[in-house]
């Protein structure tokens, strides 16, 4: 019977890992995919590699922390409770992935574990409170910083970076040699290549960060049990994440790369720098960062900031300033020259920023962790009150 339950636990842990791959690949590589720097398959491959590296290194510490610090009772994690916790984590994440909205795996996992802790009276409220405060503050910081950049600094950054997407692929695979290798596309400029490498590198860094924190969400409840080794579970969890990255993550890549806001290469770099900077800062002080929420809100903030950007127009040989005109977030290469073109041809805010999709993303990213928390709390309360 124990062996059957343990096998079920492995399957449920793999299901959680599968959904982690679906939920975290979009925030890490959505900007790069949206800017057509990398394909979805390439993003999935890099996600799989760097997630495993993060999980196999710093991720081991997070697995230990999540299994010990958040819950004070040493005997709370049993094989049965671990399976139930993983079931609610995986089920809630699947709801978000099915809707094409990447939910926070950290919030979802901690919510399910917190439900167990509340039902048994073993939740470390001080640790939970500190984590929750940063989960509220960090996305606001990401939204605000990206919004300010989009509204006031984006044109200057765009001119400084001076990257324009050319026709054709940024990278191609050269199969002329014994070992295939990536090479620059036929129309790729040096500056475009540099920008593409930067945004891909930042995506890899975010994938690494995801591995350090999110592997615990899939395997910590089982590793806390006697007789379950960490290394095989990291291999199992990372393999499941890779499957999710190559399959269900395509929906979240579309949502974060295309549906919320159009992302030229410069915008992709801004989003990646802001979100990864916040995630690394929180990780440095030991806070399990919800990088899915931070990255998503950074994309929303940048799109909203660009959509409300104010442009000062100078006309006439004497350089008189016309009143400020608000135009929709406008890519430099889409704006007509001053004094030329029809104002009706200027892209509107709705063209570059989709409030409906943004509202759906924010709503689902709050609903998914609530599902795992409330579901686990109700289930464990019933079990511990009337069954066990």
């Amino acid at each position: 019977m124990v062996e059957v339950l343990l096998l079920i636990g492995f399957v449920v842990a793999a299901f959680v890992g599968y959904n982690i791959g679906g939920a975290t690949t979009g925030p890490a590589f959505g900007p790069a995919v949206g800017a057509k720097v990398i394909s979805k398959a390439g993003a999935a491959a890099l996600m799989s590699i760097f997630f495993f590296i993060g999980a196999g290194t710093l991720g081991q510490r997070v697995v230990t922390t999540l299994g010990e610090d958040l819950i004070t009772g040493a005997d709370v994690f049993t094989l049965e409770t671990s399976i139930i916790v993983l079931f609610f984590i995986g089920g809630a994440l699947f709801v978000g992935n099915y809707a094409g909205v990447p939910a926070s795996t950290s919030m979802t996992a901690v919510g399910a574990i917190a439900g167990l802790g509340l039902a048994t009276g073993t939740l470390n409220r001080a640790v939970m409170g500190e984590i929750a405060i940063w989960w509220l503050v960090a996305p606001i910081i990401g939204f605000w910083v990206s919004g300010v950049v989009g509204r006031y600094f984006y044109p200057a950054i765009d001119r400084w970076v001076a990257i324009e997407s050319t026709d054709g692929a940024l990278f191609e695979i050269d199969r002329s040699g014994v070992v295939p290798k990536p090479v620059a596309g036929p129309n790729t400029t040096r500056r475009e290549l540099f920008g593409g490498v930067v945004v891909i590198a930042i995506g890899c860094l975010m994938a690494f960060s995801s591995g350090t924190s999110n592997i615990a969400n899939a395997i910590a409840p089982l590793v806390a049990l006697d007789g379950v080794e960490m290394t095989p579970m990291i291999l199992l969890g990372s393999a499941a994440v890779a499957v999710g990255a190559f399959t269900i993550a395509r929906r979240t890549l579309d949502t974060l790369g295309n549906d919320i806001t159009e992302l030229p290469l410069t915008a992709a770099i801004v989003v990646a720098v802001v979100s990864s900077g916040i995630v690394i800062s929180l990780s440095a002080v030991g806070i399990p960062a919800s990088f899915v929420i931070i990255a998503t809100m950074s994309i929303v903030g940048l799109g909203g900031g660009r959509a409300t950007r104010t442009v000062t127009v100078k006309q006439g040989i004497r350089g008189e300033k016309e009143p400020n005109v608000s135009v929709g977030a406008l890519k430099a290469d889409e704006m007509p020259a001053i004094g030329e073109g029809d104002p009706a041809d200027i892209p509107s805010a709705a063209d570059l920023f989709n409030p409906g999709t943004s509202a759906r993303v924010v709503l689902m990213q709050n609903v998914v962790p609530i599902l795992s928390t409330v579901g686990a709390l109700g289930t464990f309360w019933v079990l511990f009150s009337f069954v066990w």
Side-chain angles (χ1 to χ4, degrees), residues 172-193:
E172 294 182 348
I173 302 300
D174 181 7
R175 295 181 172 86
S176 59
V178 178
V179 178
K181 60 181 180 180
V183 296
N187 299 320
T188 301
T189 64
R190 179 177 298 180
R191 295 190 70 88
E192 183 185 14
L193 181 62

Side-chain angles (χ1 to χ4, degrees), residues 153-206:
F153 302 106
Y154 185 84
I157 296 174
D158 192 46
R159 288 192 297 270
W160 177 72
V161 175
I163 299 174
E164 297 181 359
S165 296
T166 57
D167 294 333
L170 184 66
F171 296 102
E172 294 182 348
I173 302 300
D174 181 7
R175 295 181 172 86
S176 59
V178 178
V179 178
K181 60 181 180 180
V183 296
N187 299 320
T188 301
T189 64
R190 179 177 298 180
R191 295 190 70 88
E192 183 185 14
L193 181 62
F194 172 76
V197 170
V198 169
V199 76
I200 291 174
I202 295 174
C204 293
L205 181 61
M206 294 183 71

